[in-house]
Amino acid sequence: MKINKKIAVSESGFVFDSSTGDSFSVNPLGIEIIGMVRDNKTEDDIRKILSEKYEVSVPVLEKSLSDFIGSLRSAKIIED
Amino acid sequence: MAKLHFERPIIKKLNVGISNKFGSKTEFEPITEIDGVDIKELIVKYGSPLFIISEKTIRETYREAKQTFESRFPKVQFAWSYKTNYLDAVCKVFHQEGSWAEVVSRFEYEKALENGMPGNKIIFNGPDKTEDDLKIAIENESYIHIDHFDELYSIMNLSEHLKKKPKVAIRVNMDTGVYPMWDRFGFNYENGEAWEAINKILMNDKLELVGLHTHIGTFMLSANAYHIAASKLADLAYHIKKKYNHTIQYIDMGGGFASKNTLKGAYLSGLDTSPTFNDYAEAISSALLNSEIPPDSLPMLILETGRALIDDAGSLAGSVIAIKKLSDGRRSTIVDFGVNILFTSFWYEHKVTPAQGFTQYSETSSMYGPLCMNIDVIRETITLPPLKKGDNLVVSRIGAYNMTQWMQFITLRPKVVMIDLNGTTHIIRNNESLKDVKGLESVPEHLKKISK
Amino acid sequence: MEKKKITIAATGLNNIDNPGPGVPFIRGVRESKEFDSRIIGLAYENLEPGIYMHNLIDKSYQIPYPSSGSDVLLRRIEYINKIEKIDVLIPNFDAELYTFMKSSDKLKEMGISTFLPTLEQFEERHKSVLPEFGKKYDIKVPGSKTIFSEREIPDLVNEYKYPMLVKGKYYDAYVAYTPEQVRMYMNKISSKWGLPIIIQEFVVGTEVNVVALGDGNGITIGAVPMRKQYITDKGKAWAGITLDDTNLLEITNKIISKTKWRGGMELEMIKTNEDDYYLIEINPRLPAWVYLSVGAGQNLPEALVKLALGEKVEPMTKYKNGTLFIRYSYDLICDISEFEKLTLNGEL
């Protein structure tokens, strides 16, 4: 997983794609996850880190994470 | 180290023009308790979904309405509209507060009797009353509101064989400037039918005409329509006095007051647009006080308002079953309460609030019930904080009609609890079991075995 | 003379092809010789151009749509007021007026003055009750009928001839030549603004408009008549010219004095070839072309602010005939970071 080079993410959660002009807003956990993808972490790594840090059941975490990464893919924020 | 609260990660495309409310902040607070009772604890104890009725809210709303009308008009009597919510515990609260009963079927009539209402505090409305129903009502000295000429003749006929003189009122329909006009119930004012029915009753001595009744519509957003209706009934009462020297004991303005719910298709919130009790009371009492009826023979004013008295007192707590993505990327939230128990979703934009804290982020989704049926939609679109499976929600203002129009469809109906004035919770209707439903069925002998 | 320092909040910053009155209103206030104002823009949507016009508007805040209810709106305004100490708030959208009128007492408690029509004035000038309005105040109006359902469409022909106007409760109006078109426009309008739909008799003539201001006691503080010179495909004025039309001013004075109109208003009238005037609509606020009144010599925005502050305002009766306005578009340039700030924080 790689973050599209044309994507700028601000600390406030504003995501701007300079190649398409699209902008998005992301909540804090979303920013955290995008940051981890940028640091070349895999989905597995991310899941492990989050499950240690947050009060959440495994199925909910797995589903939420894959859902979010799916959204990032369809928004072309993540390229493979 | 304690783990942090998990809020599902979300990303939202910023659409030009339709950004959400202000910045990304969601617009309301969570509902974590009702009358001091924790919602999550209620769900753990009684299951999800769960209907919750606040006795405190019923009494407060009733007293507010009563006081508002009584401060404007000398004689006011409320009659609890059973069809709006006929759970016994709910009816009893209204009866304790001094409400009579207003019923529209034998089933409701008997419920009212069993709830301790004497016959002469029951108003029997509706187009379907059998001869037997009428007989019982006459013997109990209940007020029979006549809907059509067939009924009028039946009562006249019955009265010849009964000792008691039936106490009747006629239901009148009329043009109040609100359309479509409700003209299927009662006798029409404008074409003279109502006056004709009155003449038929008063020309012979078989029935006692005690009242005049109207019910101009439902969820009436115009208080002025009640002004027009009350003027027309007062006019009838005045002419009855003039022609027959007969005094009408009461004018029954029926119900139809809107609650604070927002109707589908309305642009502004019902909280802002629905008339208040003040508005309705002013419209009705000014019409009666300014009519030609002399002050010393003013009739009693009966009100059968249901929705506006009970909607706020009812809430439905439930849970998120799943969060899904639809084919076009839209979100959908599936919850464990559907249109089977929340019938009013068909006409309200129900207010749905998370029962746990949340941040300022929000996303828009459709909200679907649990039924495997396409019509099971609670909200076409709703903006809520990111929810996850197992989160709890509260639907507010659902006390009216849901607990009577609900269906035993696909699944069983949940418990209804009432929180009393001390904050103690009571089950006032248990959840249905397979046995309850199957108990009414029987299988012919030859179908009992499915294998030969 | 020392200029008085005040803070004015205004909505309607959508200065687009179908413009709101906020920006022209603010231009009027900016030209005041009496006020030195700090202007707070209140915006519903994140691309309302006014938000980015920093020479006109000092700071903008996003506010919730009127449909979220007055509670939510008031909470937001309370927050803004804590920072800005608003003296006067001027709403400029039809759809939000009801909510602001209902909230005007609570705004007053926060120290915010408004100058809005009363609920009664607002209700009785609704398009759906225009015939009653005409009867009550002896003003000619075209026939109109409120409909709730498509089933009522076939019978319309018994009342009016085609074409007829199909109008929404707040906005939108279309000319329909067939029942099919009525149905189409009805669906289009109701999906956006809800029911009912108003069907209006089509009166042939020239449309003339008046921007006016009533003091709430029956006095016309100012009034300027205008005829649109050119109309955009959305039916909005592209250019317009002030008129010397005493009949029109008389009708305006009559309406204001009989209704004791409080606040800004726009009258839309049709002048027929026989010189009859039909009232089509009363918009209960200043219109988007209000700056023409400023240009012609009547600063109605300034006068409205003074009325809101409870100051005495002398009626203005003169204006320059033949003053033209020509609307133009202008491309503002700004960095995406401004959009980001507004969208994420709700203020800029």
Side-chain angles (χ1 to χ4, degrees), chain C residues 2-240:
Chain C
E2 179 99 353
K3 282 193 185 181
K4 190 170 169 181
K5 277 198 191 316
I6 53 168
T7 302
I8 302 170
T11 67
L13 313 182
N14 54 328
N15 223 42
I16 49 173
D17 59 341
N18 180 3
V23 170
F25 164 81
I26 291 164
R27 281 184 74 193
V29 171
R30 281 279 185 227
E31 288 181 19
S32 166
K33 295 197 171 66
E34 300 180 33
F35 300 132
D36 175 11
S37 9
R38 173 169 168 82
I39 304 287
I40 306 302
L42 303 175
Y44 292 103
E45 304 190 340
N46 52 19
L47 282 181
E48 291 183 23
I51 302 170
Y52 305 93
M53 298 181 181
H54 304 307
N55 55 338
L56 274 182
I57 297 177
D58 296 297
K59 173 134 191 209
S60 291
Y61 292 85
Q62 278 195 291
I63 56 170
Y65 290 103
S67 54
S68 5
S70 51
D71 271 14
V72 181
L73 176 72
L74 281 171
R75 235 179 292 160
R76 178 65 177 164
I77 291 182
E78 211 163 10
Y79 164 84
I80 299 169
N81 193 44
K82 250 184 220 154
I83 304 168
E84 303 292 350
K85 302 274 176 289
I86 300 167
D87 295 303
V88 176
L89 191 156
I90 306 292
N92 286 304
F93 283 116
D94 291 2
E96 70 187 359
L97 280 178
Y98 182 87
T99 313
F100 276 105
M101 285 182 314
K102 280 239 157 179
S103 312
S104 61
D105 288 345
K106 286 185 183 147
L107 290 170
K108 191 82 221 176
E109 281 169 29
M110 294 182 211
I112 302 174
S113 300
T114 53
F115 200 74
L116 299 168
T118 63
L119 212 51
E120 194 195 343
Q121 290 167 346
F122 181 76
E123 293 292 342
E124 72 178 11
R125 58 89 237 171
H126 265 305
K127 280 178 260 182
S128 52
V129 290
L130 199 62
E132 288 86 338
F133 185 90
K135 219 163 135 193
K136 183 169 173 191
Y137 297 112
D138 187 28
I139 304 284
K140 272 191 193 145
V141 301
S144 76
K145 192 176 160 56
T146 302
I147 64 169
F148 288 87
S149 149
E150 286 191 13
R151 285 192 312 250
E152 299 174 68
I153 295 174
D155 291 339
L156 289 173
V157 70
N158 301 332
E159 312 218 10
Y160 315 117
K161 277 185 288 191
Y162 279 96
M164 33 188 115
L165 284 167
V166 185
K167 295 183 154 190
K169 203 171 164 187
Y170 298 109
Y171 296 109
D172 284 355
Y174 300 96
V175 183
Y177 292 88
T178 62
E180 251 331 295
Q181 287 183 343
V182 175
R183 184 167 296 120
M184 184 177 87
Y185 294 133
M186 178 171 184
N187 288 332
K188 194 166 170 175
I189 295 168
S190 67
S191 65
K192 207 165 165 191
W193 302 109
L195 290 171
I197 298 295
I198 295 114
I199 304 292
Q200 198 173 71
E201 184 188 358
F202 190 82
V203 180
V204 181
T206 313
E207 188 184 331
V208 283
N209 302 278
V210 185
V211 55
L213 183 59
D215 76 341
N217 297 313
I219 306 287
T220 305
I221 294 297
V224 176
M226 176 277 280
R227 185 169 71 85
K228 293 175 187 172
Q229 297 280 82
Y230 203 95
I231 293 174
T232 67
D233 56 3
K234 294 210 166 151
K236 299 293 150 185
W238 176 342

Side-chain angles (χ1 to χ4, degrees), chain B residues 14-25 27-29 179-180 265-269 271-274 279 360, chain C residues 45-47 62-70 72 75-76 95 98-99 102 148 170 193-195 343-346:
Chain B
L14 294 170
N15 288 320
V16 162
I18 38 176
S19 106
N20 59 19
K21 312 302 166 181
F22 22 99
S24 306
K25 294 172 182 68
E27 57 177 83
F28 45 75
E29 315 257 302
Y179 309 100
Y267 181 65
L268 293 171
S269 156
L271 270 173
D272 290 332
T273 53
S274 293
D279 299 332
Q360 66 191 60
Chain C
E45 304 190 340
N46 52 19
L47 282 181
Q62 278 195 291
I63 56 170
Y65 290 103
S67 54
S68 5
S70 51
V72 181
R75 235 179 292 160
R76 178 65 177 164
Y98 182 87
T99 313
K102 280 239 157 179
F148 288 87
Y170 298 109
W193 302 109
L195 290 171
T343 314
L344 294 186
N345 304 328

Side-chain angles (χ1 to χ4, degrees), chain B residues 33 54 68 93 159 161 190 211 232 345 388 399:
Chain B
E33 54 171 60
S54 158
T68 306
V93 176
S159 68
H161 313 287
E190 282 79 18
K232 288 183 173 173
S345 307
K388 57 182 186 292

Side-chain angles (χ1 to χ4, degrees), chain A:
Chain A
M1 292 193 295
K2 252 193 198 141
I3 298 284
N4 178 342
K5 283 196 192 71
K6 299 281 170 69
I7 296 287
V9 183
S10 78
E11 276 174 29
S12 58
F14 186 79
V15 175
F16 179 60
D17 182 340
S18 59
S19 65
T20 61
D22 284 339
S23 47
F24 306 84
S25 83
V26 181
N27 68 348
L29 187 54
I31 304 173
E32 199 176 337
I33 294 169
I34 292 176
M36 289 192 259
V37 177
R38 197 162 254 166
D39 294 342
N40 296 319
K41 300 242 176 354
T42 66
E43 200 170 327
D44 267 352
D45 300 335
I46 298 174
R47 190 169 53 235
K48 268 178 214 144
I49 297 170
L50 293 182
S51 101
E52 273 165 31
K53 189 167 167 192
Y54 290 96
E55 185 62 56
V56 60
S57 71
V58 176
V60 169
L61 175 60
E62 264 186 40
K63 196 244 161 187
S64 305
L65 184 60
S66 84
D67 206 45
F68 182 67
I69 287 174
S71 298
L72 294 181
R73 278 211 173 91
S74 69
K76 306 239 160 51
I77 293 171
I78 288 183
E79 306 172 312
D80 280 313

